[in-house]
Amino acid sequence: MVREMTTTPTSMNGGDGENSYTRNSASQGVAFELVKSLISEGIATKLDLVRLISPSSPKILRIADLGCSVGPNTFTSVQEITNYLKLKCRQRDHDVEFQVFFNDQFSNDFNTLFKNLPSDRQYFAAGVPGSFHDRLFPENFLHFMHCSYSLHWLSSAPKELVDQDSPAYNKGRIYYAAAPTAVVQAYSNQFAKDITSFLNARSHEVVPGGLMTLVIPGVPDGVPHSQCGFVATHALIEACLIDIHHQGLISEAKIDSFNMPIYIPAAPEIKALIEKNGCFSIEKMESIIYGEEVVKLLYIDEQMVSSQLRAVWEGIISEHFGNDIVDELFDQFAKRFAEAFMGSKPRNNGRTVLIFALLKRNL
């Protein structure tokens, strides 16, 4: 029997207040810094402007950032990408205009996003609300597509997790870090479905020969999910919610009917799914290990990490459990994070990577 609806992702905290994503998205910004040289190289060596820009049509390159949210990171990334494309165009004597499409869910705070558009931008901007697991753009419309720190979000938590008759019934848990194999497999299966839907949609929207860059937090190949730093950090939210349940602040039924709709893949999983889909060729795929200096920058203290997680999770937690537990939850999280990851323990052991993929739309 299925007890309740599966968990569906919601948007990051809007506005520019203390708990907003705008103020608490440093880790996502660092991710782009780590891959921007790979993007520049990909545009320089893999983008065929002669094929993409027809002499008989307006000279415009269309770019999309999928899962843009509201923070400054999307403006940094699209400006860098536009600069790389402009350099490529100048080298080929092309005078080109640029149009950038910012995409996120309907509930995203597009008002804050567009209020903060850079005044000196050198592109035309537009918003495209909707799930990137479905079609968003016309046929053969986009030349370059970027999606960073978004594809680990599932379209919904697997329905088997709330089905009491399923071997993947996730009773007493909200995640897969310490769950049986059937639960992990349910998450993996849902990720495979979502990536396939994503690639199928993009195969219609990206012009043949167009490029797409994906940046996904990942599990190093051969490392158990439970030992991945990203998974372990989110497992602390599970532990805190269970403690709050034991305090009598939320019911057991609320725990059993909630599952976090994120999955952290390994590079071979992504590679196999892209190759099976067949619509894009993999021009480059690389796993980037967070260096010690980067980790120190991201994890200055437990409160900073708690604030970043709150900016991401407050909406979905409040929607399911109510607003009353939010402060308690993230106060507990900060304490648990300090005990688990700060102090004398090593801050980085190669257990967290960024997976970068440069894909080209097949002709």
Side-chain angles (χ1 to χ4, degrees), residues 120-352:
D120 60 346
R121 67 189 182 278
Q122 297 180 341
Y123 53 82
F124 300 99
V128 181
S131 169
F132 56 49
H133 294 109
D134 299 317
R135 284 284 303 276
L136 295 165
F137 300 95
E139 194 85 15
N140 294 334
F141 186 70
L142 291 163
H143 303 94
F144 192 96
M145 190 172 284
H146 179 64
C147 185
S148 180
Y149 249 77
S150 297
L151 279 172
H152 61 297
W153 284 93
L154 303 175
S155 60
S156 66
K159 63 181 184 300
E160 305 96 302
L161 304 182
V162 293
D163 183 353
Q164 294 182 12
D165 298 325
S166 170
Y169 180 42
N170 205 24
K171 181 174 177 58
R173 291 178 296 268
I174 66 164
Y175 201 37
Y176 64 85
T181 302
V183 173
V184 179
Q185 189 60 53
Y187 270 97
S188 178
N189 291 344
Q190 184 65 50
F191 178 77
K193 292 177 186 176
D194 286 347
I195 287 292
T196 300
S197 296
F198 176 88
L199 293 172
N200 285 340
R202 305 296 81 79
S203 71
H204 291 280
E205 299 164 348
V206 178
V207 299
L211 296 182
M212 179 162 63
T213 50
L214 309 179
V215 184
I216 309 170
V219 181
D221 193 17
V223 172
H225 281 274
S226 60
Q227 294 181 24
C228 169
F230 196 94
V231 175
T233 298
H234 283 78
L236 293 180
I237 297 180
E238 176 183 272
C240 293
L241 280 171
I242 291 172
D243 280 351
I244 290 172
H245 159 59
H246 289 153
Q247 295 170 28
L249 300 179
I250 53 177
S251 68
E252 181 180 14
K254 281 290 187 182
I255 293 287
D256 291 343
S257 59
F258 178 82
N259 288 281
M260 301 176 91
I262 58 169
Y263 176 74
I264 311 303
E269 286 181 89
I270 299 174
K271 183 174 185 289
L273 290 168
I274 295 170
E275 290 177 343
K276 182 179 179 181
N277 177 263
C279 296
F280 293 84
S281 63
I282 301 175
E283 301 298 317
K284 190 178 188 67
M285 180 171 279
E286 187 170 319
S287 293
I288 303 165
I289 297 176
Y290 284 91
E292 291 296 333
E293 292 304 314
V294 173
V295 173
K296 289 177 182 178
L297 182 66
L298 292 177
Y299 300 137
I300 294 173
D301 59 47
E302 61 273 16
Q303 192 55 56
M304 175 182 175
V305 179
S306 180
S307 295
Q308 291 193 54
L309 267 290
R310 180 167 182 161
V312 171
W313 285 102
E314 182 170 4
I316 196 168
I317 293 289
S318 298
E319 184 177 321
H320 189 87
F321 295 101
N323 294 322
D324 294 343
I325 70 160
V326 172
D327 289 339
E328 174 68 17
L329 171 64
F330 290 101
D331 285 346
Q332 285 197 27
F333 175 89
K335 294 174 185 176
R336 281 184 174 269
F337 186 87
E339 294 169 358
F341 296 107
M342 306 299 284
S344 60
K345 293 188 177 183
R347 295 186 173 186
N348 182 48
N349 54 7
R351 301 294 188 180
T352 303

Side-chain angles (χ1 to χ4, degrees), residues 1 24 34-35 56 58 72 88-89 95 99 202 300 347:
M1 179 182 71
N24 297 283
L34 291 174
V35 304
S56 60
K88 176 91 172 186
C89 291
D95 185 16
Q99 187 171 20
R202 305 296 81 79
I300 294 173
R347 295 186 173 186

